[in-house]
Amino acid sequence: MTNQEILEKKYFAVVGDTTNPEKAAFKIKKELLDNGYAVVSIPEEFELIDDIKCDIDVLDLCINPVKGLNILKRTKKNIPFVLIQPGAGSVEVEKYLNNKGIEFRKGCILKILEGAE
């Protein structure tokens, strides 16, 4: 998925600590909301991805890879695309996504929003 295609999506789920202003997930959620996107967070607002009632266009992993992989493994919800933030990826996460046929790429949504990536 290209940067432009990501920016055309509407519903984002941010996986990470969106309650701590010092954390990247907080900054990502805030920036997405400020730019008019619908955003939910996991695990703060929802414990599981399956608890989210709306469709998710982009799942933004911004969490320790072990925790992120665990959250991914627990969902039955259709996830069309995963953006893996710096530090959130691992060989295991990528292998899992590949095995599930889930499109993904590594990148920073903040840089994509700025047009810098």
Side-chain angles (χ1 to χ4, degrees):
M1 186 174 294
T2 67
N3 290 352
Q4 186 58 41
E5 289 170 325
I6 292 170
L7 294 174
E8 290 170 359
K9 300 301 180 188
K10 299 204 182 307
Y11 302 102
F12 286 74
V14 177
V15 181
D17 185 356
T18 60
T19 60
N20 182 344
E22 300 300 315
K23 297 287 189 172
F26 176 91
K27 295 170 187 171
I28 288 168
K29 182 178 180 186
K30 181 183 180 321
E31 194 66 26
L32 285 167
L33 287 169
D34 288 350
N35 279 277
Y37 294 95
V39 185
V40 295
S41 63
I42 303 157
E44 280 78 29
E45 293 168 291
F46 296 96
E47 182 61 31
L48 300 171
I49 296 169
D50 291 351
D51 294 340
I52 299 169
K53 301 301 180 210
C54 68
D55 289 336
I56 299 167
D57 295 323
V58 177
L59 183 74
D60 192 320
L61 281 181
C62 190
I63 193 168
N64 172 292
V66 173
K67 291 179 182 179
L69 181 59
N70 186 42
I71 288 170
L72 287 169
K73 285 182 174 180
R74 292 169 54 195
T75 190
K76 292 176 179 51
K77 191 171 190 75
N78 179 42
I79 307 297
F81 181 76
V82 175
L83 183 62
I84 303 171
Q85 297 292 325
S90 68
V91 170
E92 293 80 13
V93 168
E94 291 181 29
K95 183 177 177 183
Y96 179 81
L97 294 171
N98 277 325
N99 288 341
K100 289 293 186 178
I102 299 172
E103 183 182 359
F104 70 92
R105 74 177 250 210
K106 299 179 211 176
C108 178
I109 191 66
L110 296 176
K111 290 182 179 179
I112 292 170
L113 287 166
E114 294 172 357
E117 184 170 292

